[in-house]
Amino acid sequence: MAAALITEPPARTGRGGRPRDPSRDDVIRAAILRLLGDVGYGALTMDAVAAEAGVGKATIYRRWRTKQELVVDTVSDLNRSWTVDADTGSLEGDLRQLVHRMVEMMASPVGAATRSLLAAMQHEPALIEAYREGPLAVWRRAYADMWARAQARGEVGPEMPQSIPAEASTALLVQRWLVTREPIDHAYADAVLEALVLPAIRRGA
């Protein structure tokens, strides 16, 4: 996740099908989260989602053509809810808020679903690009917007790229989340910011 935060996100492509009914979306999302937590991406089927959500399979296929589309689009939307824009008035405040939200997301059912999707990518290469254009692009866009605000306020110059702060602020969190499984909390996120990210920004400002 962290390394790919350093570039601008690609435009999101349409998935086809009819416009979604928000009242059904919440039910389907909840079903997907439960199933991803119980059986993982590989064993998840459209039949199982329909049964868990209590909707007809045709209801799902009218919105998403494949399991990959269904899961990636749903996880993307759920990740987006964690990156709702809130301008604190400073780059440090925005950055701290964003990494705190990432910590909270990782500990939530959305984080478990996202991790299940990441685990499946090594067996299904087609998921890699879908993940880059979906959940990953959500966080990349949030970082890009945050950095643009900081440049507009004059906190950082146009010559300073967002790549180093973006990668540094997430790499250690993601390493704990995916590899070492050590605890991740707000205090750890703040320590990463204070030790690595904020000093780099101040030196380059």
Side-chain angles (χ1 to χ4, degrees):
M1 177 184 291
L5 283 169
I6 67 176
T7 58
E8 291 297 319
R12 193 179 181 202
T13 56
R15 63 181 174 275
R18 299 182 185 179
R20 298 189 304 192
D21 176 356
S23 66
R24 299 290 182 90
D25 278 1
D26 289 343
V27 173
I28 294 170
R29 284 180 183 136
I32 290 170
L33 287 182
R34 289 193 296 271
L35 288 170
L36 284 174
D38 290 344
V39 304
Y41 177 84
L44 185 145
T45 66
M46 298 292 251
D47 284 333
V49 173
E52 183 73 17
V55 301
K57 192 161 63 171
T59 298
I60 296 176
Y61 275 112
R62 281 197 296 267
R63 292 159 173 78
W64 299 278
R65 293 166 295 188
T66 66
K67 179 180 82 168
Q68 177 180 303
E69 267 189 8
L70 167 63
V71 173
V72 171
D73 190 61
T74 299
V75 173
S76 299
D77 284 345
L78 292 167
N79 271 270
R80 190 172 295 108
S81 70
W82 289 95
T83 63
V84 174
D85 180 50
D87 186 353
T88 67
S90 73
L91 176 57
E92 180 176 342
D94 287 358
L95 187 56
R96 198 176 300 276
Q97 181 169 258
L98 195 58
V99 296
H100 283 190
R101 285 177 175 171
M102 181 171 286
V103 167
E104 292 162 5
M105 182 278 293
M106 289 173 172
S108 74
V110 175
T114 303
R115 188 159 56 191
S116 175
L117 195 59
L118 289 169
M121 284 165 52
Q122 61 183 315
H123 305 295
E124 299 193 32
L127 277 177
I128 296 175
E129 188 62 23
Y131 183 81
R132 285 175 58 87
E133 294 183 358
L136 185 55
V138 169
W139 290 95
R140 289 162 61 188
R141 188 172 295 112
Y143 268 84
D145 291 346
M146 176 190 67
W147 200 254
R149 288 196 302 268
Q151 288 183 327
R153 288 190 297 258
E155 292 182 270
V156 292
E159 72 284 352
M160 184 178 181
Q162 75 170 58
S163 58
I164 293 176
E167 185 170 350
S169 63
T170 58
L172 294 179
L173 301 182
V174 172
Q175 177 177 286
R176 285 195 171 203
W177 186 45
L178 297 180
V179 181
T180 68
R181 302 296 178 95
E182 294 176 79
I184 306 170
D185 55 20
H186 290 174
Y188 178 73
D190 285 339
V192 170
L193 291 180
E194 295 294 341
L196 300 176
V197 184
L198 294 175
I201 290 174
R202 290 164 187 152
R203 285 194 300 269

